[in-house]
Amino acid sequence: QVQLVESGGGLVQAGGSLRLSCTASGSAFSITAMKWYRQGPGKQRELVAAIHSSAGIEYADSVHGRFTIYRDNAERAVYLQMSSLKPEDTSIYYCNVVGYSHGMPYDVWGQGTQVTVSS
């Protein structure tokens, strides 16, 4: 079973930066895509950024140019570098990884990490 551990959230002032980390562990698994979602108070969960093994990188318009997603294949980790943070970026951020384990598809989520941006 693939499991995710997230870290890196916190409180930061507007204009500041934070880096989120998510590491996948398990046995005999491959990764198709690694993604970051967020869910703000009273809002639906939305895709922030994704990195696909075969289809490149995508960003939400609201974070394009401010956030960078990248991965470390050796560590099976994905990172979200967030810069020029705004109060509207305040959300719980979730890591999501999809792929195959023992020949079967999987779709797993991290526990979520709170990011709070003060004005």
Side-chain angles (χ1 to χ4, degrees):
Q1 182 177 0
V2 179
Q3 295 182 320
L4 304 179
V5 175
E6 298 181 31
S7 62
L11 173 65
V12 64
Q13 289 188 330
S17 299
L18 281 175
R19 190 184 77 158
L20 306 183
S21 302
C22 173
T23 301
S25 63
S27 64
F29 70 100
S30 62
I31 295 172
T32 303
M34 305 184 88
K35 310 175 187 179
W36 289 98
Y37 286 80
R38 69 185 180 187
Q39 187 166 15
K43 298 182 179 180
Q44 289 189 330
R45 190 170 296 188
E46 63 173 351
L47 178 66
V48 176
I51 184 165
H52 302 271
S53 298
S54 61
I57 294 172
E58 62 177 307
Y59 295 99
D61 289 343
S62 58
V63 307
H64 201 281
R66 300 188 297 119
F67 292 10
T68 301
I69 186 172
Y70 59 100
R71 62 185 283 183
D72 182 329
N73 289 330
E75 296 296 326
R76 294 182 171 179
V78 62
Y79 304 91
L80 186 68
Q81 178 66 49
M82 307 183 291
S83 303
S84 302
L85 283 160
K86 304 175 181 180
E88 52 263 43
D89 294 317
T90 295
S91 290
I92 299 174
Y93 285 71
Y94 297 90
C95 176
N96 171 239
V97 177
V98 297
Y100 290 87
S101 176
H102 298 284
M104 298 296 292
Y106 70 86
D107 184 340
V108 295
W109 292 81
Q111 78 276 16
T113 186
Q114 177 70 48
V115 171
T116 302
V117 184
S118 63
S119 58

